């Protein structure tokens, strides 16, 4: 039977701690300063003002959120700024119990892809849902429901996707 | 208008086991000795030693203690990573080795401690100065620096 | 064989080798490559001196924690003073490195190519999962604290919603693959589990639970490809590579159809056309489809037209995808069972197709007689499909 005698020497975490496996260690921390460019700058600036902005391609009629410089279908520059609504419908949603480093969260977080009203069909954004019972996510009742952005108070906004606290349902789930 | 966005890419810690090739090297360091790998098929010594010969792909079966170390190249650092002046310049040497007068392929980059700059000539014999035995961990920093003989 | 492109050489696979797949392996990254490569060369009856070019595949450098990884590890690939190439499409890299190996030979550029894929995820502390945080958009996504399992869970839930699929049916994939892996000598997670075990395992991001996911792994896999003339000198039964395809969707994953892998549909079409396949469901005898998550096996079967939309869970429930079924899927045990050292896992699938077609899979050998097999991987920001079709 192939593979025949696959080589390799497994070890366990405590082999490191107890000195049976010698190792060296290091860490990585790289800081970046990203130039945002015309489109994302204006998008974040819009969020600071409580508005969600997109870009319109007049060749195919698509409205992109987040705004993009180039229409991926027409491969041409998009033409105009459009303000889309801060309401939308839930395309999909999940309940997260873990953080990015795999540690458990104190309190579960509901994450969703939301198709904003005013953007083209299928143009969703990633964000949190609030004021939702996790049960309604698990049984998928929240899917397709209308939600609306809950914004931070204007003085606390910094020009970030986190200027929106979460989206909450505005129709019965 | 907001034009800039700061973020970081970080990994809190990496752990690199030394592996098969590093094992003999690490054992040597702990004893205060330096070992080179020897490929019997290619008749070639290599430093740092590996577990296999990159040319003929055979497994390395023999590790030999080096018998001579000499300075092949050096560079002097006046500034740190961020471009600030160092209090004292640091000298890094590229150290090459021999096993019983046979040349060893490759070598090690390490710090050089020089008391008399006039002795710092290419080809001069150097010796590793190891940390006290109880502080050695089988890593390259078990050698504190090299000195000119 | 009906190619839609001009090829100088027909390409054959003549050898395969791999290391164990484990959560932590003591060997360094280049030592793992060397071990896998040596086994593949021995299998082919060649030495490293017979190899003209080397192709290397690995996921982001941030796992092994060695920058310029391909250069740093070149010695272990036997690439010294040879034309050497690294290819990269995230999780799709394993199959893509085989595709790159194929074009080296098909073009006439090289005669014998060594293809190696390697991954060491165990270097990352406290958990390799964290590296995936850095693949997202730093402006629109990372500030939300995104992790990789979110997007899989979002996709899985959309798929379940659209076709009204039960978690029980998806869990069957994990049960099958982990059981298949019991017969794989390199497997990390071969085990007998039940649907209940999956449904009772730790909930990470609903609907994704711990036993829905493949593990973190270290490992390496290598293959040897050569041209027709040389293949016939080396063996009486070369395994031919008859179709390759790859395709990329937008990076804006929230703008995609999450219930159907469009990128894979196109990648599959490209490979089928090259291999002269008109009805994949009938003409593909078995497949190694990419299964880092159990639902993904189903998603990918549908993208590859091995099942109609929403039909893959039904085929699974009916036993069609078992080793003794009509369309065995992941007889190796897949990523869920054998393990998931990312790039190496993809190439393991190509190796499995090779071993199955050679009739060398032993206890893993699928019951029906097989002539045509397919291996597929998926990656980047869930956006790329890579496909290879092999025949004996
Ligand atoms: Zn357009
Ligand atoms: Zn040699």
């Amino acid at each position: 039977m192939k593979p025949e005698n696959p080589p390799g020497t497994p070890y366990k975490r405590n082999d490191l701690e107890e000195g049976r496996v010698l190792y060296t260690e290091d860490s990585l921390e790289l800081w970046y300063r990203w130039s945002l460019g015309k489109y994302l700058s204006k998008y974040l600036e819009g969020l600071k003002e409580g508005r969600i902005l997109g870009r319109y391609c007049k060749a195919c009629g698509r409205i992109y959120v987040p705004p993009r410089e180039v229409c991926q279908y027409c491969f041409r520059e998009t033409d105009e700024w459009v303000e889309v609504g801060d309401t939308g419908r839930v395309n999909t949603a999940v309940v997260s119990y873990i953080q990015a480093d795999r540690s458990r969260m104190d309190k579960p977080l509901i994450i969703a892809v939301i198709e904003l009203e005013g953007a083209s069909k299928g143009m969703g954004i990633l964000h949190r849902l609030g004021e939702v019972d996790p049960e309604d996510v698990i049984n998928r009742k929240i899917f397709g429901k209308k939600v609306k952005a809950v914004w931070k108070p204007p003085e606390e906004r910094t020009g970030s996707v986190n200027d929106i606290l979460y989206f909450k349902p505005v129709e019965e789930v | 208008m907001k034009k800039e966005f700061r973020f970081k890419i970080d990994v809190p810690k990496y752990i690199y086991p030394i592996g098969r090739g590093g094992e003999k090297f690490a054992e040597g360091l702990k004893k205060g000795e330096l070992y080179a790998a020897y490929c019997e098929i290619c008749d070639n010594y290599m430093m740092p030693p590996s577990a296999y010969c990159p040319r003929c792909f055979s497994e390395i079966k023999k590790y030999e203690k080096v018998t001579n170390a000499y300075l092949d190249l050096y560079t002097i650092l006046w500034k740190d990573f961020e471009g600030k002046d160092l209090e004292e310049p640091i000298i890094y040497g590229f150290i090459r080795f021999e096993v019983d007068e046979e040349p060893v392929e490759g070598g090690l980059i390490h710090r050089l401690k020089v008391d008399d700059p006039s002795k710092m000539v290419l080809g001069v014999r150097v010796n590793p100065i190891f940390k006290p035995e109880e502080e050695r961990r089988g890593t390259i920093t078990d050698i504190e620096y090299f000195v000119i003989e | 064989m009906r190619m839609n492109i001009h090829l100088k050489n027909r390409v054959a696979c003549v050898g395969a080798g791999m290391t164990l797949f484990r959560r932590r392996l003591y060997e360094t990254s280049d030592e793992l490559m060397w071990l896998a490569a040596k086994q593949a060369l021995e299998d082919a009856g060649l030495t490293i001196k017979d190899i003209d070019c080397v192709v290397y595949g690995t996921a982001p450098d941030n796992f092994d924690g060695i920058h310029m990884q391909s250069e740093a590890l070149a010695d272990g690939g036997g690439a010294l003073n040879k034309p050497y190439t690294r290819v990269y499409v995230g999780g799709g890299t394993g199959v893509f490195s085989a595709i790159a190996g194929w074009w080296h030979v098909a073009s006439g550029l090289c005669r014998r190519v060594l293809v190696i894929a390697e991954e060491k995820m165990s270097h990352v502390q406290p958990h390799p999962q964290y590296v995936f945080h850095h693949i997202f958009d730093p402006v629109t996504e990372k500030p939300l604290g995104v992790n990789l399992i979110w997007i899989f869970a979002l996709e899985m839930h959309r798929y379940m919603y659209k076709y009204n699929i039960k978690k029980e049916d998806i869990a069957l994939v994990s049960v099958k693959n982990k059981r298949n892996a019991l017969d794989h000598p390199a497997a990390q997670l071969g085990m007998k589990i039940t649907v209940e075990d999956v449904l009772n395992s730790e909930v990470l991001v609903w609907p994704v639970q711990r036993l829905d996911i493949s593990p973190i792994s270290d490992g390496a896999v290598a293959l040897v490809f050569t041209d027709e003339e040389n293949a016939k000198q080396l063996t009486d039964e070369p395994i031919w590579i008859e179709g390759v395809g790859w395709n990329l969707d937008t990076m804006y994953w929230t703008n995609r159809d999450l219930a159907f892998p469009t990128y894979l549909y196109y990648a599959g079409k490209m490979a089928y056309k090259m291999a002269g396949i008109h009805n994949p469901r009938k003409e593909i005898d078995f497949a190694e489809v990419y299964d880092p998550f159990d639902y993904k096996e189903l998603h990918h079967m549908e993208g590859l037209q091995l099942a109609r939309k929403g039909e893959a869970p039904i085929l699974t429930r009916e036993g069609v995808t078992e080793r003794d079924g009509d369309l065995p899927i992941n007889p190796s045990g897949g990523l869920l069972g054998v393990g998931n050292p990312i790039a190496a896992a993809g190439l393991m699938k190509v190796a499995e197709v090779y071993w199955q077609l050679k009739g060398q899979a032993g206890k893993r050998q699928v019951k029906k007689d097989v002539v045509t097999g397919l291996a597929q991987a998926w990656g980047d920001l869930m956006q790329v499909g890579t496909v290879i079709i092999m025949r004996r």
Side-chain angles (χ1 to χ4, degrees):
Chain A
M1 174 167 51
K2 294 285 176 79
E4 235 173 83
N5 303 319
T9 315
Y11 71 92
K12 292 193 161 31
R13 181 190 289 271
N14 61 9
D15 290 332
L16 298 168
E17 288 149 9
E18 290 158 24
R20 284 185 297 274
V21 166
L22 289 181
Y23 63 92
T24 54
E25 62 177 68
D26 204 353
S27 62
L28 175 72
E29 186 172 310
L30 303 168
W31 275 96
Y32 293 83
R33 269 199 336 226
W34 254 39
S35 163
L36 283 165
K38 271 201 288 202
Y39 297 88
L40 275 178
S41 301
K42 194 147 172 174
Y43 182 59
L44 294 189
E45 213 46 46
L47 291 173
K48 207 171 169 181
E49 294 160 13
R51 304 190 304 150
I52 301 175
L53 299 174
R55 285 287 289 181
Y56 171 62
C57 169
K58 66 182 177 198
C60 67
R62 282 188 178 82
I63 294 171
Y64 287 100
V65 180
R68 306 188 204 174
E69 185 168 9
V70 175
C71 172
Q72 75 181 61
Y73 293 94
C74 307
F75 206 55
R76 61 187 288 282
E77 250 186 286
T78 51
D79 301 280
E80 284 165 30
W81 285 100
V82 192
E83 184 176 344
V84 300
D86 69 349
T87 55
R89 289 192 184 270
V90 176
N91 173 289
T92 176
V94 298
V95 190
S96 181
Y97 299 87
I98 57 163
Q99 331 230 28
D101 64 0
R102 175 64 172 85
S103 58
R104 300 289 295 181
M105 283 173 166
D106 299 333
K107 190 169 118 203
L109 191 65
I110 299 175
I111 307 299
V113 172
I114 298 146
E115 293 183 34
L116 293 171
E117 250 162 319
S120 291
K121 177 110 192 79
M123 299 286 164
I125 62 162
L126 177 72
H127 221 292
R128 295 175 282 263
L129 293 184
E131 302 174 39
V132 173
D133 182 353
E135 252 333 289
D136 288 328
V137 177
I138 291 167
N139 60 28
R140 301 194 284 275
K141 278 193 187 149
I142 193 73
F143 283 55
K145 290 290 183 294
K146 190 168 175 178
V147 291
K148 184 173 168 53
V150 176
W151 297 85
K152 276 186 182 168
E155 63 280 10
E156 287 176 27
R157 293 183 205 146
T158 59
S160 153
V161 286
N162 283 318
D163 290 347
I164 296 173
L165 289 168
Y166 53 83
F167 284 77
K168 67 165 189 187
V170 288
E171 66 177 331
E172 191 157 347
V173 176
Chain B
M1 196 182 268
K2 199 174 171 113
K3 290 203 171 60
E4 218 177 69
F5 196 83
R6 277 175 68 90
F7 67 94
K8 71 173 175 182
I9 286 186
D10 64 327
V11 175
K13 191 151 92 173
Y14 282 111
I15 280 188
Y16 307 96
I18 56 169
R20 295 189 190 186
E23 215 166 274
K24 190 75 192 175
F25 189 57
E27 279 170 29
L29 288 169
K30 282 189 176 174
K31 284 190 285 182
E33 292 167 348
L34 284 167
Y35 282 86
Y38 178 63
C39 174
E40 290 169 305
I41 291 165
C42 303
D43 184 22
N44 190 29
Y45 292 96
M46 287 164 280
M47 176 70 94
S50 66
Y52 56 89
C53 171
R55 291 197 173 71
C56 69
F57 245 34
S58 62
E59 188 178 345
I60 298 293
K61 303 235 169 69
K62 246 170 127 175
Y63 294 87
E64 297 283 353
K65 204 167 120 179
V66 303
T67 51
N68 184 28
Y70 64 94
L71 181 65
D72 195 36
L73 296 164
Y74 65 83
T75 185
I76 305 173
L77 270 71
W78 300 91
K79 295 190 188 269
D80 68 9
F81 266 129
E82 281 153 26
K84 287 195 221 94
D85 288 336
L86 289 165
E87 270 176 42
E88 233 181 288
I90 302 173
I91 307 169
Y92 274 95
F94 179 51
I95 318 291
R96 282 191 188 270
F97 302 90
E98 285 175 343
V99 175
D100 299 331
E101 294 180 11
E102 291 288 325
V104 173
E105 186 185 353
L108 295 175
I109 303 275
H110 218 295
R111 278 179 76 151
L112 204 62
K113 198 169 173 223
V114 181
D115 297 326
D116 178 0
S118 72
K119 283 189 177 168
M120 204 165 62
V121 286
L122 300 186
V124 69
R125 198 180 159 115
V126 293
N127 285 319
I129 301 298
F130 285 86
K131 283 181 181 164
E133 207 172 334
E134 59 279 10
E135 288 174 31
R136 294 179 206 156
R137 286 196 58 242
T139 63
I140 190 72
T141 47
D142 287 357
I143 302 174
E144 285 194 87
Y145 45 77
F146 281 76
V147 292
I148 293 168
E149 190 172 279
Chain C
M1 186 171 64
R2 230 191 59 174
M3 299 278 181
N4 61 321
I5 55 171
H6 172 72
L7 302 177
K8 192 157 170 30
N9 290 316
R10 195 179 183 199
V11 184
C13 181
V14 292
M18 70 184 287
T19 67
L20 291 173
F21 281 7
R22 287 293 182 273
R23 175 65 179 84
R24 295 175 190 83
L25 286 175
Y26 172 61
E27 284 80 6
T28 58
S29 306
D30 60 317
E31 287 170 3
L32 291 177
M33 288 168 70
W34 165 66
L35 288 169
K38 212 159 62 108
Q39 204 180 63
L41 288 167
E42 276 161 22
D43 193 36
L46 296 171
T47 73
I48 193 65
K49 294 200 162 58
D50 299 315
I51 295 296
D52 304 323
C53 304
V54 179
V55 174
Y56 171 61
T58 187
D61 292 355
N62 281 353
F63 284 114
D64 280 58
I66 308 161
H67 278 264
M68 300 210 303
Q69 188 169 324
S70 62
E71 294 78 357
L73 306 182
D75 285 18
L80 279 192
N81 300 116
K82 290 188 173 126
Y84 177 55
T85 308
R86 173 186 182 174
V87 292
Y88 174 72
V89 282
T93 300
V95 171
F96 196 61
S97 51
I99 292 173
W102 168 86
W103 78 53
H104 275 70
V105 178
S107 63
L109 185 67
C110 304
R111 189 140 200 229
R112 285 177 290 253
V113 175
L114 180 62
V115 178
I116 309 174
E118 165 277 340
E119 211 78 60
K120 262 202 111 177
M121 303 173 76
S122 63
H123 289 174
V124 181
Q125 310 292 322
H127 199 281
Q129 181 59 241
Y130 187 67
V131 167
F132 290 117
H133 177 56
H134 302 305
I135 70 175
F136 291 91
D137 188 291
V139 180
T140 60
E141 291 172 345
K142 270 175 85 167
L144 297 169
V146 59
N147 72 56
L148 193 70
I149 300 180
W150 285 8
I151 66 173
F152 294 125
L154 287 160
E155 195 180 71
M156 176 171 171
H157 223 189
R158 178 72 191 172
Y159 176 58
M160 290 168 70
Y161 173 74
K162 181 132 183 206
Y163 301 112
N164 199 19
I165 297 163
K166 290 204 213 64
K167 266 219 73 175
E168 286 82 339
D169 285 344
I170 294 178
L172 280 170
V173 173
S174 192
V175 173
K176 165 179 72 75
N177 291 3
K178 287 181 196 294
R179 189 179 57 231
N180 283 353
L182 281 169
D183 299 325
H184 197 299
Q188 179 178 350
L189 273 188
M191 55 173 132
K192 259 194 133 130
I193 56 164
T194 62
V195 167
E196 283 65 43
D197 293 332
V198 180
L199 300 182
N200 292 331
S201 63
E202 185 192 2
V203 180
L204 302 175
V205 182
W206 180 266
V208 172
Q209 294 177 260
R210 197 175 60 79
L211 289 175
D212 291 312
I213 309 191
S214 57
I216 301 290
S217 318
D218 291 354
V221 179
L223 298 176
V224 181
F225 291 173
T226 184
D227 62 20
E228 183 162 8
E229 192 191 333
N230 192 234
K232 286 180 171 163
Q233 288 163 1
L234 288 169
T235 171
D236 294 335
E237 12 170 66
I239 301 302
W240 305 105
I241 297 164
E242 302 231 308
V244 298
W246 65 101
N247 194 282
L248 189 85
D249 205 335
T250 173
M251 183 78 179
Y252 293 85
W253 62 275
T254 54
N255 293 176
R256 282 186 225 144
D257 178 356
L258 296 175
F260 184 74
T262 312
Y263 45 88
L264 184 55
Y265 172 74
Y266 288 123
K269 264 180 79 157
M270 176 177 167
Y272 293 142
K273 189 173 176 195
M274 201 181 293
I277 287 172
H278 305 284
N279 184 343
R281 175 71 180 83
K282 290 236 148 55
E283 294 173 65
I284 297 292
D285 296 321
F286 72 102
E288 282 282 328
V289 306
Y290 206 62
D291 61 325
F293 289 70
D294 44 13
Y295 83 96
K296 220 47 211 179
E297 173 171 313
L298 307 170
H299 221 222
H300 286 150
M301 282 171 66
E302 294 173 17
L304 285 164
Q305 303 176 66
L306 298 175
R308 287 190 300 275
K309 289 182 182 180
E311 188 198 23
I314 301 164
L315 296 182
T316 305
R317 200 194 311 139
E318 290 171 350
V320 174
T321 61
E322 298 278 348
R323 260 192 218 137
D324 58 1
D326 183 47
L327 178 63
I329 300 289
N330 290 330
S332 68
L335 278 50
L336 287 160
V338 187
N340 188 8
I342 305 178
L347 200 59
M348 178 276 287
K349 289 184 168 292
V350 186
E352 181 69 10
V353 173
Y354 171 73
W355 286 319
Q356 290 282 349
L357 291 174
K358 282 279 240 188
Q360 293 178 331
K363 283 199 277 182
R364 298 193 314 287
Q365 193 67 41
V366 300
K367 205 167 166 197
K368 67 187 227 186
D369 184 41
V370 287
V371 176
T372 308
L374 178 152
Q376 173 254 327
W378 165 64
D380 287 332
L381 196 53
M382 322 200 303
Q383 75 201 107
V384 76
T386 50
V387 178
I388 193 162
I389 296 169
M390 295 160 92
R391 272 203 196 106
R392 75 177 155 84

